[in-house]
Amino acid sequence: MGAWISDTTPERIAARLQDLAPAGAARGWVGAWAQETGAARVRDVFAQAFDDVTADLRVWSAPGRVNLIGEHTDYNDGLCLPIALPHRTYVALRPRSDSLVRLTSAQAPGEVWEARLEDVAPGAVSGWGAYVAGVAWALREELGREVTGFDAAVDSCVPFGAGLSSSAALESSVAVALDDVGGLGLGGSDAGRAALATACVRAENEIAGAPTGGMDQSVALRARSGHALLLDCRRGLDPAESAEQVPFDLETAGLAVLVMDTRAEHQLVDGQYAQRRDTCEAAAHALGTESLRELADAVEASDDPTGTLTVALDKLPEDVARRRVRHVVTEIGRVRDLVALLRDGRVGEIGPLMNASHASLRDDYEVSSVELDVAVEAARVAGALGARMTGGGFGGSAIALVAADRAEAVADSVRAAFEREGFGAPGFLLAVPSEPAGAVD
Ligand code: GLA
């Protein structure tokens, strides 16, 4: 039981985890790199693939995320409350004078992905380069901003396929890089960053082909250290109204958010996510509303919330649709309740809302998995104040709110439960609310 993970600033955690990397890694702890470390690594990757490193090569980075609450609400015009992780994706990028995009990554050393910007279009590019080239495409399509080609190298300490938004971190790091080198002037304001987030979502939806909502890209670009980001995902909202910084002070309360990566498969490009989205849209249509958010607001405003929800659910013939809608509406309510607790300085009391969110995602929305349920249960048994799956689900990660000095013990309990169940070893991270995407050097 080391005291090393009770440090709760990103810099101290990064430093401590690096000191203890071998011991920590053997127990599944995934440390966050210090920004200089990430920058040095990605410059090396660049130098190996494109040996002519010049002075105009610069580095940007963007964080992965966990969502505290508000799951599968973003594409229903709802509310969610993510935080940026100290774990980041780094991109070393240099503009070119032609339209060629050449990419390399530490994960596939020596391989170079290439495309010409004029060839990037929905359905025309594939592989991880689609997330990068897609951003350049979307800056033109969405914002009418032209960018030139570029050479870029990528490295990341955001675990892949863990439901921690490594793809949004990649898109967002490229978005701030292209914004800077193209002089687009968007990264300097929250409204500009909201526009970059919209472009990143289009890259993910239309070029990479994953029908996700906007939560991940928004938090990667608009987060603030020490805060959770309350996102209002109603379409057409002015950027100033669509995001609010909510202080999330774990350190003073002696608490930590432990991320438990099940290391079980998580794949959003498959049909399940899209199916949930379609069911919600069809249900909203059947109820005569534009989105389920309208119903959530009506329930919230009603003197008899349960009655109002029941009347709406009774209009839906399918049990599955009724359960999906119930999840979305009650989850939006839980975001409101959790934010009220945070604003009241009662962070230690948010656990029951996290637990209720997990039950709703497991039973009504049916996006949990055996591994996620086991992680959540084992965390609670070891004293977590609350625990829930986070992100899209079907594998990926869960989070637990724990006393900072119990994080190791809770991780031990989860590790033991996984061993008992015959699952592979899980991974662990600490979710300290961190900085948004930006330039490193
Ligand atoms: C994934 C998507 C997000 C959001 C979550 C579920 O992370 O990328 O847009 O829908 O699932 O809350």
Side-chain angles (χ1 to χ4, degrees):
M1 300 305 108
W4 52 279
I5 54 164
S6 58
D7 276 339
T8 46
T9 67
E11 295 73 23
R12 274 188 283 152
I13 285 180
R16 294 294 286 153
L17 285 177
Q18 267 174 6
D19 286 351
L20 292 147
R27 297 157 64 74
W29 288 98
V30 179
W33 300 334
Q35 295 250 13
E36 325 65 89
T37 309
R41 289 179 70 120
V42 82
R43 282 174 172 279
D44 270 2
V45 178
F46 190 99
Q48 275 164 35
F50 316 114
D51 35 52
D52 56 336
V53 172
T54 48
D56 54 350
L57 179 68
R58 290 180 55 205
V59 176
W60 293 260
S61 72
R65 65 97 188 89
V66 289
N67 188 17
L68 291 178
I69 201 150
E71 220 64 84
H72 288 276
T73 51
D74 59 352
Y75 53 82
N76 286 303
D77 284 12
L79 302 171
C80 53
L81 191 70
I83 58 176
L85 290 172
H87 300 71
R88 303 176 76 89
T89 292
Y90 293 81
V91 60
L93 184 143
R94 185 178 57 196
R96 297 175 61 94
S97 50
D98 59 14
S99 68
L100 190 63
V101 174
R102 294 194 303 166
L103 307 173
T104 187
S105 91
Q107 282 64 45
E111 281 175 33
V112 175
W113 187 99
E114 277 192 23
R116 294 224 161 246
L117 282 176
E118 57 273 23
D119 297 333
V120 179
V125 286
S126 58
W128 71 275
Y131 292 90
V132 175
V135 174
W137 171 86
L139 287 173
R140 188 182 61 227
E141 289 290 310
E142 174 72 25
L143 305 173
R145 305 300 184 92
E146 288 298 334
V147 293
T148 61
F150 51 91
D151 292 335
V154 174
D155 199 356
S156 182
C157 61
V158 181
F160 296 112
L164 301 175
S165 290
S166 56
S167 57
L170 175 58
E171 292 150 4
S172 304
S173 63
V174 171
V176 286
L178 294 180
D179 177 53
D180 273 349
V181 300
L184 309 185
L186 296 166
S189 69
D190 185 57
R193 282 170 172 264
L196 290 176
T198 306
C200 289
V201 175
R202 285 199 64 182
E204 176 131 5
N205 290 173
E206 295 173 52
I207 303 297
T212 55
M215 168 171 71
D216 310 338
Q217 294 78 5
S218 296
V219 65
L221 283 152
R222 303 176 74 188
R224 188 186 298 165
S225 156
H227 292 73
L229 186 69
L230 173 60
L231 280 171
D232 186 330
C233 303
R234 262 177 304 162
R235 262 156 286 190
L237 263 195
D238 183 84
E241 289 172 51
S242 66
E244 235 178 283
Q245 304 290 346
V246 182
F248 188 52
D249 183 3
L250 293 165
E251 199 169 9
T252 307
L255 296 171
V257 171
L258 174 69
V259 181
M260 307 168 285
D261 172 7
T262 62
R263 294 188 170 160
E265 199 178 334
H266 157 92
Q267 180 60 273
L268 283 184
V269 194
D270 75 1
Q272 290 287 338
Y273 184 94
Q275 222 178 63
R276 297 297 182 286
R277 206 174 162 152
D278 289 348
T279 303
C280 290
E281 277 160 19
H285 184 73
L287 294 169
T289 58
E290 193 159 315
S291 72
L292 294 181
R293 171 62 179 277
E294 267 179 55
L295 174 59
D297 285 352
V299 168
E300 170 75 14
S302 159
D303 293 337
D304 173 17
T306 314
T308 305
L309 179 57
T310 308
V311 168
L313 295 180
D314 284 347
K315 293 186 189 149
L316 297 168
E318 302 281 328
D319 176 57
V320 167
R322 285 198 290 269
R323 287 188 290 120
R324 304 295 189 252
V325 172
R326 186 166 57 195
H327 165 73
V328 173
V329 170
T330 57
E331 184 78 351
I332 292 171
R334 283 185 287 271
V335 178
R336 291 194 166 106
D337 294 347
L338 197 146
V339 167
L341 286 174
L342 292 184
R343 292 218 166 100
D344 226 16
R346 292 157 66 192
V347 60
E349 294 171 46
I350 67 174
L353 288 166
M354 296 170 73
N355 292 340
S357 169
H358 185 77
S360 178
L361 287 157
R362 182 192 60 209
D363 303 335
D364 275 353
Y365 219 66
E366 296 179 288
V367 291
S368 190
S369 67
V370 187
E371 293 87 353
L372 286 167
D373 293 345
V374 166
V376 159
E377 186 53 33
R380 288 184 195 145
V381 166
L385 303 177
R388 59 181 291 274
M389 55 156 280
T390 189
F394 313 108
S397 296
I399 53 172
L401 182 72
V402 300
D405 59 3
R406 292 280 303 160
E408 276 275 28
V410 172
D412 284 343
S413 162
V414 174
R415 203 178 293 111
F418 269 46
E419 219 173 290
R420 254 193 329 270
E421 298 287 338
F423 303 157
F428 300 99
L429 285 67
L430 285 181
V432 182
S434 299
E435 303 293 332
V440 180
D441 62 23

